[in-house]
Every structure is written in C-alpha cells, then in structure tokens.
Amino acid sequence: MSDTDTTTTTFDAAALEALPARAVATGGIREQAFARFVATPLPSKETEEWRYTDVSDLVFDQVPYSEGGAAETLDDVPDRVLEAADVVGDRAGLQIQRNGDVIITHLAKDLVDEGVILGDLDLAASEHRDLVEEHLHSVVPIDRSKFTALHAAFRTGGTFLYVPPDVQVELPIQTLTYLDADGGAVFPHTLLIADRGSEVTFIDRYASPDLRRALSDAVVEIVAGDGAHVKYIGLQDWGTGVQHVGVTRARVGRDAQVRSLGVAFGGTLARGEVEIELAGDGSRTELLGVYFGDGDQHIDHRSIQLHRGSRSSSDLLYKGALRDASSAIYTGTVIIDHDAHLCDAYQTNRNILLSEQAKAMSVPNLEILTDDPTRCGHAASVGPVSEDELFYLQSRGIPRDEAERLIVFGFFAEVLDRIDLPEVREGIERSIEAELARVG
C-alpha cells in the first residue's frame, strides 16, 4: 500500500472517531498523529534504516480497537490470559491489557502510600495531566516514523508508571499485553518515569496465541532522572501471524543507570528498535538481547547508544539463534557527541545458525565525534555450530542432539549470566529448551 492509497486500510478518520471516549489525548495529539500517518510513506528498503526488512507489502487492514473486557479481580481474568502473564515470583504491581483495554491493575498499598503511580495511560492523561503531558511522546516523537504516527493516533490503554524521588521499589512491577482478537491491532505504550534517586524493575510482556493476522505497534518511553536506577525487561512472545514493530527509547540523567533486556521469540515479523540517550554526565546503560528464530520468521534489531554526557558508559550484548528458514538482522550504532568526553562504549552481536537455510547479518557502526573516548568498539559474528565442538562432545558419548543443546546453551550463557532476576532467566531457558526440542 502506498502512502496515498487508503482503499484497503481500516485506519481512517472514522476509526479514529470511533475510539472509546476514555481514550484521552491532549493537545490534539491523535489528530496530528493521524495526519502524519497519512502523509508519511511506508519505510523503503532503499533507506539504510530499513534496508534489510521489507514492509512494502504491509496492508493496514487490521481492526484498530477490540474490547478486552474489564475484570474486578484476578479471578475474573481468563485462565489463558493469566497463564500468558507467566508470573512466577512476587510482584509489587501487575497490570493486564487485553486487545487494547486495560482490564485490571494492582499496586501494593505501601507503594501507593509512597506516591508510586501505576495505571492506565488513558486515565493518567486525565488524572495526572501535567506529569503525562510533560513526557508523553517527548522521548519517542510522533513523527519518528509512519509506525509511531499510527501508534500515537490509535493507541488505547497503555501503562503509566511513576516512581517519586528516592523511592526504591524492591519487587518487580509487570504489565502484560495480550492479544487474542484475530485480525486485530494493539498499540502498547509504556511511559515509565523514575524520578531523582529512585529505583525500579519493570517487566513488559507481550503474548498471544497463533493468529491468522494481527499487528502490534509498540512504544516504550523511559525517563530516568538524576541518580535513578531502572531495569527494563521486554519479553516479546507473540504467536505466529503477528507483525510487530516496536521502539524503546530511554533518556538517562546524571549518574543514572538504565539496564535493559530485550527478548524476542515470537511474531512472524518482529522489528525492535532500542535507543538509549545518555544525556547526563556519569550516566550508564547495559543493553542485553536474546532472540531465537524458527520457521520463516524475520527478526530485526536496531540499536543506538547515544552519548551526550561525559564519563558516560554503554555496553550492548545481543545474541541470537536461528533455525529452519528464519532470518535476523542486527544494526547498531554507537554515537559519542562532540561535547561528550571520556566515554566508554562497546557493542557485541553474535549469531549461531542451526540450519543451512537460516540467515543472519550483523552491521555495527561507530560515530566518534570527540577525540578522547576511554574505549569504543564493536564485535560481530555469524556462524554455524562448530563441527569440532560437536565431534569432541560426541566422542565422549554425548548424542548429537544433546551436544548441540549444550553448545547452544553455552552460546547464550554469556547473556544469561548477566540477568540477575532468576525467574526471568529461568523463563528464557525454558523458551530456548522448547525451541531446541522442536529442532529434532
């Protein structure tokens, strides 16, 4: 579909007007975003950003909004939705969204008393208007792409999390976005504000059954104030048939830290962009990624480590395994600005191929605009399971399938060992086991 052909799209002015009345948008944001969506062409493979992922045949014919059905308590949430949340450990807060509706939200009373806010972004736009207006779409602008414009126009539900100054949230807070409306579209939006000196761990999970056709267009905005510590975990486990595009961007203040983990196991097409702006002096970030492709799945990761503050540091480690005819592309850029001095930056992407048809590409980039970085570099690799390693293990009586399993887990161990939330690590290990079991 071209930018001028709207004959097949369901994302039109009538659909915009049909959004629920509670889907509040301030300052005419939805109308501005819709106009931008209509005026902006689909990304082309002729541009560097989309060179390896073709969306030229994408047709916007999904249903923009489907009722999710409110729940008074967790007992009212369907079992399949609760199972998809995969809540193993204790949670300080939990929010569940289904088909664009926030159906239930819970936050521990002691955190409410301390001023922590967890809720529906639609409601927060009314109840905490000044706070939301200051930050919504400030980290990920509406006009970033056709997809962010579409997102801003049709977003419903969404998660708003605010942690006041010097408040430490000891247990993780989690949200689940669940999609089971075949032919539907969801626009998950997380706005996380960690004020000065606060600490929080947030888990963002996306899940669905296999569907005929569906769209996920997600945005995550993280604001880490001076001295704040944020751990953000994004777990993408869409079923087949879901096309996912997402942008996660964080702005990190002075002496603040954002650690992120991106996990991609699902979706027919899954593109995730992660960008960290190290705005303050002494700011730090660690970016971890795990992905496993199968079938004809296409996984596209794009990262930017943007150093604006001096003595800032960033370290990225993404690892993926691919089997069948799946494919993956990683493109990453480290940028050290003119006025950023004594910065430390590194990025590593490694891929292991489990079939002759699987393909992967890795394209790291450096833009060093200052003359005094303490370290700046990158590493990338793509290759099959080592036959020498397989032979060594088999020569000691280990069957080939088990030998391959051990090698793959050893390959991922470098990332898994840096995940300090046991339940998340164990969940990823179970997913890898399930993928490997399907190989045989």
Side-chain angles (χ1 to χ4, degrees):
M1 185 188 78
S2 72
D3 56 307
T4 58
D5 179 9
T6 59
T7 56
T8 58
T9 184
T10 53
F11 298 99
D12 53 22
L16 193 66
E17 293 176 0
L19 289 176
R22 59 174 176 71
V24 177
T26 59
I29 286 177
R30 291 197 189 278
E31 292 75 14
Q32 297 171 30
F34 179 67
R36 174 66 66 171
F37 164 68
V38 172
T40 305
L42 272 172
S44 167
K45 290 188 70 176
E46 296 177 359
T47 64
E48 185 62 30
E49 291 184 1
W50 291 85
R51 180 178 175 185
Y52 303 100
T53 297
D54 187 4
V55 292
S56 60
D57 62 348
L58 181 64
V59 178
F60 294 104
D61 62 352
Q62 298 85 2
V63 178
Y65 175 75
S66 303
E67 291 285 348
E72 294 293 330
T73 68
L74 286 176
D75 292 336
D76 300 322
V77 178
D79 290 343
R80 65 181 181 277
V81 180
L82 281 178
E83 290 171 4
D86 195 27
V87 178
V88 178
D90 293 332
R91 295 287 184 266
L94 176 65
Q95 182 183 83
I96 297 177
Q97 305 180 54
R98 183 183 179 193
N99 299 334
D101 266 344
V102 175
I103 63 175
I104 194 167
T105 303
H106 171 74
L107 181 65
K109 185 180 183 302
D110 61 322
L111 294 178
V112 174
D113 293 340
E114 288 188 271
V116 177
I117 302 169
L118 173 67
D120 184 328
L121 183 55
D122 284 337
L123 295 178
S126 296
E127 297 174 357
H128 308 282
R129 187 183 183 92
D130 292 344
L131 197 56
V132 172
E133 278 195 346
E134 179 182 355
H135 296 290
L136 184 62
H137 303 302
S138 69
V139 184
V140 180
I142 291 170
D143 60 0
R144 181 186 176 104
S145 72
K146 189 176 184 72
F147 294 107
T148 55
L150 177 67
H151 171 98
F154 288 95
R155 178 197 56 77
T156 58
T159 301
F160 177 71
L161 174 61
Y162 172 72
V163 185
D166 301 319
V167 172
Q168 281 77 48
V169 181
E170 295 182 2
L171 294 173
I173 293 174
Q174 177 175 332
T175 188
L176 165 70
T177 298
Y178 187 78
L179 172 62
D180 59 2
D182 210 345
V186 289
F187 302 90
H189 193 118
T190 295
L191 177 58
L192 191 166
I193 304 168
D195 218 326
R196 170 183 45 82
S198 63
E199 295 185 16
V200 67
T201 297
F202 185 80
I203 301 172
D204 227 343
R205 181 181 289 274
Y206 307 138
S208 78
D210 292 341
L211 299 170
R212 177 185 57 83
R213 183 179 180 83
L215 174 69
S216 165
D217 184 354
V219 170
V220 177
E221 299 183 281
I222 300 172
V223 179
D226 293 347
H229 284 203
V230 175
K231 294 179 186 177
Y232 174 82
I233 301 164
L235 305 175
Q236 187 272 101
D237 196 20
W238 294 125
T240 58
V242 180
Q243 295 173 307
H244 174 78
V245 289
V247 178
T248 298
R249 192 171 191 275
R251 183 179 298 128
V252 189
R254 177 174 53 82
D255 295 326
Q257 175 178 287
V258 171
R259 298 177 61 195
S260 80
L261 168 65
V263 181
F265 283 91
T268 297
L269 180 150
R271 176 179 168 104
E273 301 178 30
V274 177
E275 182 173 341
I276 305 293
E277 179 187 356
L278 296 162
D281 293 349
S283 53
R284 307 180 302 282
T285 188
E286 178 187 61
L287 306 170
L288 302 178
V290 176
Y291 51 96
F292 203 127
D294 60 18
D296 60 356
Q297 188 176 12
H298 179 69
I299 300 171
D300 181 343
H301 282 113
R302 182 177 179 84
S303 71
I304 295 179
Q305 297 152 254
L306 174 58
H307 291 253
R308 297 196 188 279
S310 295
R311 300 179 306 281
S312 54
S313 65
S314 66
D315 186 15
L316 178 145
L317 176 61
Y318 271 51
K319 285 198 168 187
L322 302 163
R323 67 180 182 90
D324 303 328
S326 61
S327 59
I329 171 68
Y330 167 79
T331 55
T333 303
V334 171
I335 304 172
I336 300 183
D337 214 347
H338 294 88
D339 297 325
H341 302 287
L342 303 175
C343 297
D344 185 322
Y346 206 82
Q347 60 179 215
T348 303
N349 173 238
R350 302 199 185 282
N351 300 271
I352 189 168
L353 306 179
L354 304 179
S355 74
E356 294 182 358
Q357 295 76 35
K359 297 178 181 179
M361 292 190 66
S362 189
V363 187
N365 300 278
L366 303 176
E367 294 183 19
I368 313 303
L369 305 177
T370 186
D371 61 0
D372 60 352
T374 58
R375 180 186 68 152
C376 191
H378 56 68
S381 65
V382 177
V385 173
S386 168
E387 289 295 331
D388 289 343
E389 292 177 355
L390 283 172
F391 176 78
Y392 177 83
L393 293 173
Q394 288 180 273
S395 70
R396 279 148 181 78
I398 299 174
R400 183 181 177 90
D401 286 351
E402 178 62 16
E404 185 174 80
R405 174 188 170 278
L406 292 173
I407 291 170
V408 170
F409 266 96
F411 169 78
F412 279 116
E414 185 181 6
V415 180
L416 297 175
D417 288 345
R418 290 164 69 170
I419 300 172
D420 56 9
L421 201 59
E423 66 192 75
V424 172
R425 172 176 174 150
E426 291 164 6
I428 295 172
E429 289 173 344
R430 290 195 301 271
S431 295
I432 294 172
E433 286 278 14
E435 290 283 357
L436 289 172
R438 292 161 63 183
V439 174

